[in-house]
Amino acid sequence: MPRAPVPPGRGDPAPCVVLAHGFSGTMDWILPAFAERFAAGGLAVLTFDYRHFGESEGHPRQLVDSTRQRADLRRAVELARALPEVDGQRIALWGSSLGGSHVVELAATDPTVTAVVANVPALDVWRGGGSLRQEMAQRGLRRGKVVRATIRLLGAALVDEVRGRLGRAPRYIAVYGPMDRAVFSDPAVGERFRELETNSATWENRVTPRFLFHAPRYRSGTMERIRAPVLVTLARDDTEVGWRFVADRATRAPRGQVTIFPVGHFDVYHGVTFDEVAGEHLAFLRRHLGVGRT
C-alpha cells in the first residue's frame, strides 16, 4: 500500500514528491529516511512498492521488470495528484539507482512533472554500467575469476528466462552474496545488506536474474525531452553505475544540473554523505516546487 507522509502543521495542499526505489528495494528501506527529510522540509511524499515486491501484489515474487515498474510509477503519480492533501499541479519525481532510470523515462513523456531528482541513476546497464576495471582494482580481482562469474550469472539468467516463458517457477539468485551467485558481491557493502535483512520486514535477498536480458537501455534524446529542471547526483567511486556516461547524458537536459560526490554507489544512503545528498535534493525540490514562497 502506498504511503504519503505530509508536512506537519500544514493545512493547504502541499507539493508532492513521488519516490521510486532501486533494484529489489522496498519502501521500508532507504526511502523512509529521504521521506522524513522531505516532509520536514515542507513537502508531501508518496512511497510505494513495485508489483512483485514488498507489500505489493504480483507473482512471481521478486521479479524485476522495468516496464512494469515504470507503469507502477506512473500510477503512483496519478494517485498522488488525486490526494486531497496534495497540490496536483506541483508533482516531482525522485528516483535512485534503477528508479533513477524510471523517473527520467517518465519525465521525458510527461510534461506536467514539475521537477526531477535522479540519484546515482542506472540509465543504461550495458553502456552506462560500472567500471569493471575499477572494481577489479578496488577488490584485487583477477579478470579470469570475473569472467567465469559473469558467465555463470548469464547462465542463471538464461535458465530463468526460459522458465519464465514456460510459466514455471523462477530460478532465483541472491541480491547480495558470492560473486558468481549474486548481483552484488562487494564485501564492502556486505554489512549494509545484512543490516537491511535485519531491519526490513519485507525485503528478500533473492531476485529473478532474467532482468539481465531486459535491463534499461538509454535512448538518445531522452534527457533532451525533459522540460522540468533535473538534478542528477552521482558517486565518483561508483562501480555499479558509470558516472561519466550518466553525467554526459544529464548535461543534455535543457535544465539539467549534476553534482558528483567522492563516494561509492551505496554510500549516498548513509552517514554524512546521506545528509549532504538529501540536503541538496531537498533544497532543489523546495526551490522548484515553490516551497517557502509567499
Side-chain angles (χ1 to χ4, degrees):
M1 177 180 296
R3 301 171 186 167
V6 296
R10 188 171 185 128
D12 55 320
C16 181
V17 54
V18 179
L19 306 189
H21 219 314
F23 185 83
S24 86
T26 51
M27 63 180 174
D28 58 355
W29 174 53
I30 292 178
L31 297 190
F34 283 96
E36 291 169 5
R37 182 69 63 90
F38 296 160
L43 306 176
V45 186
L46 188 141
T47 64
F48 67 98
D49 282 329
Y50 301 117
R51 74 186 85 177
H52 307 289
F53 287 90
E55 296 181 14
S56 288
E57 299 177 348
H59 292 279
R61 303 304 294 169
Q62 305 300 115
L63 171 67
V64 179
D65 186 310
S66 294
T67 300
R68 295 180 183 181
Q69 289 188 353
R70 286 194 293 269
D72 294 342
L73 174 59
R74 188 178 296 276
R75 291 295 301 274
V77 170
E78 294 172 357
L79 172 62
R81 287 198 170 108
L83 294 174
E85 59 266 44
V86 167
D87 180 351
Q89 301 302 311
R90 292 187 289 168
I91 301 291
L93 303 177
W94 179 100
S96 195
S97 197
L98 182 58
S101 170
H102 298 338
V103 298
V104 166
E105 292 283 347
L106 179 55
T109 60
D110 186 349
T112 66
V113 170
T114 306
V116 182
V117 174
N119 186 43
V120 290
L123 298 184
D124 190 312
V125 171
W126 300 113
R127 288 186 297 164
S131 170
L132 179 60
R133 181 178 298 178
Q134 180 181 0
E135 182 176 11
M136 290 172 60
Q138 288 180 358
R139 297 175 57 185
L141 300 173
R142 293 186 176 182
R143 180 173 294 274
K145 183 176 183 180
V146 174
V147 169
R148 288 192 295 272
T150 302
I151 292 173
R152 184 164 180 170
L153 288 177
L154 289 174
L158 179 59
V159 171
D160 184 50
E161 175 76 10
V162 172
R163 292 180 68 88
R165 290 180 180 272
L166 295 176
R168 301 177 65 181
R171 161 75 179 275
Y172 291 107
I173 62 172
V175 177
Y176 171 77
M179 70 177 302
D180 57 347
R181 285 172 286 176
V183 179
F184 303 109
S185 58
D186 187 350
V189 299
E191 182 178 348
R192 290 174 183 170
F193 276 102
R194 289 189 289 272
E195 178 184 350
L196 167 60
E197 287 188 278
T198 301
N199 297 326
S200 170
T202 62
W203 186 81
E204 298 181 34
N205 188 22
R206 60 174 186 154
V207 71
T208 54
R210 71 188 73 167
F211 166 79
L212 294 174
F213 297 131
H214 308 283
R217 299 302 307 272
Y218 181 83
R219 292 170 292 179
S220 297
T222 300
M223 282 289 187
E224 291 86 337
R225 298 199 311 272
I226 301 178
R227 299 182 184 180
V230 180
L231 170 63
V232 176
T233 48
L234 298 169
R236 184 196 62 195
D237 302 327
D238 199 332
T239 58
E240 317 302 335
V241 172
W243 67 266
R244 289 182 175 85
F245 174 88
V246 178
D248 174 74
R249 298 309 186 270
T251 56
R252 302 180 187 187
R255 304 172 67 187
Q257 65 182 82
V258 177
T259 303
I260 302 172
F261 293 87
V263 296
H265 185 83
F266 293 97
D267 295 325
V268 299
Y269 306 127
H270 300 273
V272 174
T273 304
F274 164 78
D275 289 334
E276 295 176 353
V277 171
E280 181 155 345
H281 292 176
L282 177 58
F284 174 86
L285 290 168
R286 283 176 55 89
R287 182 167 64 253
H288 292 290
L289 290 173
V291 177
R293 297 179 186 171
T294 302

